[in-house]
Amino acid sequence: MKHLSGLRKRLGGPIYAVADQCIYSASQLLLSFALARVLSPSDFGVASAFLAVSSFQYILHMAMVHEPLLIKRYYAHRSAAWLSWALVVLFSLLGYAAWQVAAFPGQLHWVGVALIVGYEIFWISRSLLLTGRRYGILCITGVLVSVGYVAILKAEKPATWMEALLLISIIQVPFLFLVLRNAGNVMLPLPAAKAAQGLTVGESMAYGWKASLSQFMSWIMTGGAILLLGSSADSEQGGLLKIYITFLLPMQYVLSALGYYLLPQLAANWNSEGRKKAFRDFIKFVLLGFVIAEGVGVLLGLLGPRLVVLAFGPNYKGMDFSPFFYAPAIFGLTMCLRTGFRAAARPGALLLCSIVGAVVFAILMFAATPPISYIQTIRAMTWGFACMAALMIGWLFYFMRATTTGESA
């Protein structure tokens, strides 16, 4: 009985974390399915471009709020928390405004502002719950937002992409209740222990700028590409690329959940006496992630032509699913490798690897024959992530070998 109890404790955390991410992934899948069915292909492409802006915001949130909070667990004071959250919204709005000026000169679609504020409320609530390991409530909120997406889009039947995005924004607002209710749980308890140090705004920014730049390089190859195609004359290509990336979301969120669950343990042991176990756990995680990603890719390559009609409707029955046989494995590998850089506190090295991948992607996109299709974009994306992964593997091998050599000396 004791053995079973210990096993339950060890596996309970990862199982709940993966369950939450599966539910969250399902909510994003359902959102894409619902939008594709209520909007025309061209409107769906434009809506996908706006949602790509929210994925840029998600990068800022993860780098400036989520990851630092998971590592530190507490803010130094309440103002540090609210200021960090406000800065994510501010930087997201600046990025959105820059895109609006470039893509829609003389126009400002306020629905994008509502989308940014709504999503940030939702993501902050998730970060607070995840830091407190409140997986049950996390799963419930994921189910609620999934039902909300489908119900409100089906009931209201928005005629344009602007109406649809406004409805999505409104759904996120009630999660402000969870933010207000759980914010106190991530504040440094008073009186604080002498060795206790809460997270400050400066530390969030110092960690976040390199981490967000690294993620931004990857976003250029995914959300940025959707933004580019969705803003072009043939906006339908942006919708097709959105569908391709949507099918990768379950794998992405599961690997992300496992990585973030392992991150506090790996970070604590990476440069301590437990480093060898940390290295072994990390290598097992990378191999497991690669196998999962390749398995998902093969299944999608075989079943994709049927799934796309079932999920998104007959407008997309002509999609080419051949890239799924190889691209998801490369993408999943880079996701798992990122965890090692975070654990080793090497955001600068991760940034350099990401820049190399983005440069390879940009070169291939510039060399592509216009008009650029979603298939050309996927191929350029895969080459970019492959070059990035190769450099990451070499660098991580150097980090682990240098650390082990230093220990022996």
Side-chain angles (χ1 to χ4, degrees), residues 200-279:
T200 65
V201 177
E203 288 172 332
S204 294
M205 297 303 104
Y207 179 93
W209 79 267
K210 287 183 180 178
S212 59
L213 278 177
S214 169
Q215 290 278 38
F216 178 69
M217 294 300 125
S218 296
W219 177 84
I220 288 174
M221 296 184 277
T222 52
I226 294 175
L227 203 66
L228 175 67
L229 296 183
S231 304
S232 67
D234 188 6
S235 60
E236 186 176 341
Q237 294 298 316
L240 293 171
L241 184 59
K242 170 68 174 176
I243 291 174
Y244 170 83
I245 293 177
T246 297
F247 274 118
L248 294 180
L249 284 179
M251 175 201 74
Q252 176 185 349
Y253 287 128
V254 167
L255 294 182
S256 176
L258 291 173
Y260 282 123
Y261 179 81
L262 288 173
L263 179 58
Q265 304 167 40
L266 293 176
N269 296 324
W270 196 271
N271 293 309
S272 68
E273 293 180 358
R275 60 175 64 88
K276 288 185 178 179
K277 182 180 182 304
F279 294 165

Side-chain angles (χ1 to χ4, degrees), residues 251 255 258-259 262 266 278-296 328-340 393 396 400:
M251 175 201 74
L255 294 182
L258 291 173
L262 288 173
L266 293 176
F279 294 165
R280 286 196 301 271
D281 290 345
F282 171 66
I283 292 171
K284 290 177 184 177
F285 168 61
V286 171
L287 293 175
L288 174 65
F290 181 78
V291 171
I292 290 174
E294 179 58 23
V296 168
I330 303 298
F331 182 60
L333 179 62
T334 58
M335 286 195 61
C336 294
L337 291 171
R338 286 177 181 277
T339 302
I393 291 172
L396 281 168
M400 290 188 286

Side-chain angles (χ1 to χ4, degrees), residues 290-349:
F290 181 78
V291 171
I292 290 174
E294 179 58 23
V296 168
V298 171
L299 284 175
L300 289 173
L302 295 172
L303 302 178
R306 294 182 181 180
L307 290 176
V308 73
V309 174
L310 181 66
F312 292 93
N315 287 333
Y316 304 98
K317 63 182 179 181
M319 278 191 70
D320 182 359
F321 277 81
S322 59
F324 278 100
F325 288 106
Y326 56 87
I330 303 298
F331 182 60
L333 179 62
T334 58
M335 286 195 61
C336 294
L337 291 171
R338 286 177 181 277
T339 302
F341 284 86
R342 292 169 181 143
R346 300 280 188 162

Side-chain angles (χ1 to χ4, degrees), residues 3-304:
H3 175 72
L4 290 175
S5 177
L7 183 63
R8 193 180 297 114
K9 287 181 179 179
R10 287 196 301 271
L11 295 180
I15 290 173
Y16 277 121
V18 170
D20 164 61
Q21 287 295 337
C22 286
I23 293 171
Y24 180 71
S25 172
S27 73
Q28 301 308 300
L29 285 170
L30 289 171
L31 173 59
S32 295
F33 297 164
L35 285 173
R37 286 185 173 273
V38 300
L39 299 176
S40 68
S42 59
D43 266 15
F44 178 61
V46 177
S48 297
F50 274 79
L51 290 173
V53 174
S54 70
S55 68
F56 164 74
Q57 174 190 355
Y58 186 66
I59 290 172
L60 296 178
H61 173 82
M62 296 299 283
M64 297 168 61
V65 175
H66 191 78
E67 291 176 15
L69 188 56
L70 275 182
I71 295 171
K72 280 278 192 173
R73 302 197 67 80
Y74 296 106
Y75 282 104
H77 40 78
R78 195 170 290 271
S79 62
W82 286 98
L83 184 54
S84 297
W85 303 341
L87 286 172
V88 173
V89 173
L90 175 61
F91 294 148
S92 301
L93 290 173
L94 290 174
Y96 171 69
W99 171 59
Q100 285 283 282
V101 170
F104 304 100
Q107 302 179 53
L108 179 61
H109 296 290
W110 291 102
V111 68
V113 176
L115 203 65
I116 287 171
V117 173
Y119 265 116
E120 190 57 31
I121 290 172
F122 179 54
W123 288 329
I124 290 171
S125 72
R126 287 183 54 78
S127 293
L128 297 181
L129 291 171
L130 187 58
T131 303
R133 305 274 172 157
R134 305 187 67 180
Y135 295 116
I137 299 177
L138 267 173
C139 293
I140 292 171
T141 58
V143 171
L144 288 175
V145 81
S146 300
V147 173
Y149 286 147
V150 176
I152 197 168
L153 289 173
K154 186 176 181 180
E156 296 296 329
K157 292 183 171 56
T160 66
W161 59 267
M162 291 184 68
E163 292 178 19
L165 294 180
L166 184 59
L167 291 172
I168 293 168
S169 306
I170 293 171
I171 291 173
Q172 322 285 348
V173 176
F175 290 95
L176 182 60
F177 169 78
L178 284 176
V179 174
L180 297 174
R181 186 169 181 85
N182 291 280
N185 298 332
V186 294
M187 304 303 161
L188 195 63
L190 296 175
K194 290 183 179 179
Q197 290 184 340
L199 183 65
T200 65
V201 177
E203 288 172 332
S204 294
M205 297 303 104
Y207 179 93
W209 79 267
K210 287 183 180 178
S212 59
L213 278 177
S214 169
Q215 290 278 38
F216 178 69
M217 294 300 125
S218 296
W219 177 84
I220 288 174
M221 296 184 277
T222 52
I226 294 175
L227 203 66
L228 175 67
L229 296 183
S231 304
S232 67
D234 188 6
S235 60
E236 186 176 341
Q237 294 298 316
L240 293 171
L241 184 59
K242 170 68 174 176
I243 291 174
Y244 170 83
I245 293 177
T246 297
F247 274 118
L248 294 180
L249 284 179
M251 175 201 74
Q252 176 185 349
Y253 287 128
V254 167
L255 294 182
S256 176
L258 291 173
Y260 282 123
Y261 179 81
L262 288 173
L263 179 58
Q265 304 167 40
L266 293 176
N269 296 324
W270 196 271
N271 293 309
S272 68
E273 293 180 358
R275 60 175 64 88
K276 288 185 178 179
K277 182 180 182 304
F279 294 165
R280 286 196 301 271
D281 290 345
F282 171 66
I283 292 171
K284 290 177 184 177
F285 168 61
V286 171
L287 293 175
L288 174 65
F290 181 78
V291 171
I292 290 174
E294 179 58 23
V296 168
V298 171
L299 284 175
L300 289 173
L302 295 172
L303 302 178

